[in-house]
Amino acid sequence: QKIENLKTAIPPLLFIILLENAFKHGVEKLIEDSFIQINMEENKTHLIFSVRNNFDPETQSKQAGIGLENLKDRLHLLYPNDSYQLSITNENSIYFAQLELKK
């Protein structure tokens, strides 16, 4: 939750898939006790964006969507030479996605 440079450029709508998934596959289908935690940190070497949300395992689709694949393709084009890291975990009804962009 620390931003050192308010003028750091970020490609338009880069984080939208991660945010949309938190609502679409998470809190939208939960009736009670739903949450979404969004965090962004930025300094001279990197920017880290993360989203954590809970979900109902019984309402989850077994089929993977195209959104994350599109995001991975876009990241590969925008940030060559492994200058980004995307990690996604899904444990105990908690979904966590973190994207680190190296400067």
Side-chain angles (χ1 to χ4, degrees):
Q1 299 174 0
K2 181 179 178 185
I3 306 295
E4 290 185 5
N5 181 1
L6 295 175
K7 295 183 180 184
T8 297
I10 302 169
L13 302 173
L14 186 64
F15 306 130
I16 195 73
I17 295 297
L18 301 176
L19 288 170
E20 181 182 51
N21 283 351
F23 285 93
K24 181 179 176 184
H25 301 294
V27 300
E28 181 177 278
K29 296 180 180 180
L30 281 174
I31 296 171
E32 296 179 4
D33 300 323
S34 61
F35 71 84
I36 296 177
Q37 296 170 339
I38 302 167
N39 188 52
M40 182 180 291
E41 297 176 28
E42 182 273 343
N43 63 32
K44 293 176 184 174
T45 62
H46 64 268
L47 182 142
I48 299 174
F49 177 82
S50 64
V51 179
R52 179 187 312 272
N53 64 279
N54 58 344
F55 65 92
D56 181 354
E58 294 180 14
T59 64
Q60 294 303 298
S61 171
K62 304 299 182 213
Q63 184 176 359
I66 194 166
L68 285 176
E69 290 305 316
N70 286 343
L71 175 60
K72 290 174 186 177
D73 290 344
R74 188 170 179 215
L75 288 167
H76 183 72
L77 293 172
L78 290 169
Y79 297 94
N81 304 319
D82 296 325
S83 58
Y84 76 92
Q85 182 176 6
L86 176 63
S87 61
I88 297 171
T89 59
N90 184 345
E91 297 177 3
N92 301 321
S93 301
I94 304 291
Y95 185 86
F96 179 70
Q98 179 172 290
L99 175 58
E100 179 177 355
L101 307 175
K102 297 173 188 165
K103 295 181 176 183

